[in-house]
Amino acid sequence: GLSEAMYLDRQAFAAVNGFSFESVHGYNPCGTCATVSTPSGSAIEVMFVDDCGTCGPDEMLISEEGINALNAFSPVEGSSYSLHPCINLSHEGIFLSMIDVGRYYARFGLGNLPEALSSARINGIEAEQNHLGQFELYADLTRTSDVYSIELTTASGRTITAEIPFIESQYLGVE
């Protein structure tokens, strides 16, 4: 997960049972955002940042900031959530969430984006976006140079580039 010290403007942290989430949604929840709504109509934006191994399949832990924003006490029976891309929620810049990395395959998410993306490339190789909004790259990502080049193209055509020293979840340092 991410450090609780990370500053988020309009968002709280949450943890869900990763195994249950993945069996329902088909991917690891870390780096995914959601709107959590209570039966009374309160709602908060959360980013899933950790696995809650003790949570049941329909439970989540929400940080104290989130509970305070919901003006509720945990657990809130009958709450629901809807998943969506994490857009512009942190001052830390774009977050690269490496979900699954193998020698010839990588699946990753990109959070805290300034707007929706139309494409993503690592070292010039275009990744395919799946139905969950994650990117899949079929290529050998073993170290071939001193840095990995990330190139993102937004829906409006803006190009965002970053260079990182290793492939792991991290802030890219760009907005």
Side-chain angles (χ1 to χ4, degrees):
L2 300 174
S3 165
E4 286 189 24
M6 184 175 77
Y7 176 76
L8 294 173
D9 291 336
R10 302 178 302 274
Q11 188 180 31
F13 299 106
V16 292
N17 183 307
F19 178 78
S20 296
F21 187 96
E22 196 161 344
S23 67
V24 171
H25 298 286
Y27 62 98
N28 180 308
C30 285
T32 303
C33 287
T35 301
V36 177
S37 303
T38 66
S40 67
S42 296
I44 185 72
E45 300 296 311
V46 300
M47 178 188 283
F48 296 120
V49 296
D50 212 345
D51 188 356
C52 173
T54 59
C55 291
D58 295 327
E59 297 176 332
M60 76 173 60
L61 292 177
I62 299 175
S63 65
E64 184 178 344
E65 294 84 3
I67 295 299
N68 290 340
L70 284 171
N71 196 23
F73 296 98
S74 184
V76 179
E77 298 293 327
S79 293
S80 61
Y81 66 92
S82 58
L83 301 172
H84 57 80
C86 300
I87 303 289
N88 226 13
L89 298 170
S90 166
H91 288 297
E92 301 289 333
I94 296 171
F95 186 73
L96 170 68
S97 176
M98 296 306 297
I99 299 163
D100 187 16
V101 181
R103 177 155 180 171
Y104 297 104
Y105 173 79
R107 182 165 38 117
F108 58 95
L110 292 155
N112 197 42
L113 299 163
E115 61 179 293
L117 293 180
S118 63
S119 70
R121 295 176 177 268
I122 297 179
N123 287 352
I125 304 165
E126 187 155 355
E128 298 174 16
Q129 194 166 15
N130 65 25
H131 69 286
L132 302 168
Q134 299 171 342
F135 291 88
E136 297 175 336
L137 187 72
Y138 297 92
D140 184 356
L141 290 180
T142 56
R143 185 163 299 281
T144 56
S145 63
D146 291 336
V147 296
Y148 292 94
S149 296
I150 310 290
E151 182 180 304
L152 310 174
T153 304
T154 66
S156 68
R158 178 177 162 216
T159 300
I160 302 167
T161 58
E163 291 187 343
I164 56 175
F166 41 83
I167 293 288
E168 71 175 31
S169 295
Q170 61 189 290
Y171 279 101
L172 297 180
V174 294
E175 295 184 24

